[in-house]
Every structure is written in structure tokens, then in C-alpha cells.
Amino acid sequence: MWWLKFLVCVAIDLFDMTVGRLLFGVPFAGEAIGCAIGYAMFGKIALFYAVEGLDFTEQIDGFVPTATLIALAARARERALLEAAETPPTTMPS
């Protein structure tokens, strides 16, 4: 399931990197769409996508794949939580 989310994030970044630069008629349309889709898939961590809105020139979008980085960070967090859940608690010797 994570791979599907990852591919969606890559598609969002590709769209934002190419066509998203032409959406100046609707300011921040690409960021709003990407942020909403990311929030639906990953929760609060995806709100970091809104940082792209600080770049009014839309130049950073071509070099920083924000949605993809958020997907990788969410996967790392998910793996850490799974490993913590699988590790049995240790007891103090008496």
C-alpha cells in the first residue's frame, strides 16, 4: 500500500514541477492540491508541503520533490513504530 502512496507523491511532484509552474492564474493551486492529498494519505506530516507556498517564484518546486520526501519520512516513521511495537519490553532482573 505504501508503494501506491509513494507513486502518487511522485506524480504530484512531477505535476507540480512541470504544469504547476503555469498555474499562476490560481495562486498556490498546486500547493493546495498537494497538501490536501498528502494530508489524506499521511496526516499532519504532510502539512510541510505548504512550505512550498513561501516561494512565490515557483522555482524551488523544480528542485525539491516535497511530496516524495514527505512519503519517505512517513515510511521511516512507520517502520520505526513497527520495530518498536515488535520489540518485547525488557524487565529488570530481581
Side-chain angles (χ1 to χ4, degrees):
M1 181 67 167
W2 179 81
W3 286 104
L4 180 61
K5 291 180 181 181
F6 180 74
L7 291 175
V8 168
C9 287
V10 170
I12 288 171
D13 281 331
L14 287 174
F15 176 81
D16 196 27
M17 179 177 59
T18 56
V19 180
R21 300 173 125 207
L22 304 175
L23 295 176
F24 283 111
V26 182
F28 309 113
E31 282 75 12
I33 292 168
C35 199
I37 293 172
Y39 186 80
M41 290 190 299
F42 299 113
K44 292 180 186 177
I45 193 171
L47 295 179
F48 283 111
Y49 194 87
V51 172
E52 282 190 2
L54 298 175
D55 177 30
F56 297 106
T57 64
E58 296 286 327
Q59 296 303 309
I60 294 176
D61 290 349
F63 302 104
V64 181
T66 311
T68 304
L69 293 174
I70 289 170
L72 293 172
R75 178 65 173 171
R77 185 183 69 181
E78 180 182 298
R79 281 188 172 179
L81 290 174
L82 286 174
E83 287 175 6
E86 291 174 357
T87 305
T90 58
T91 58
M92 299 278 299
S94 40

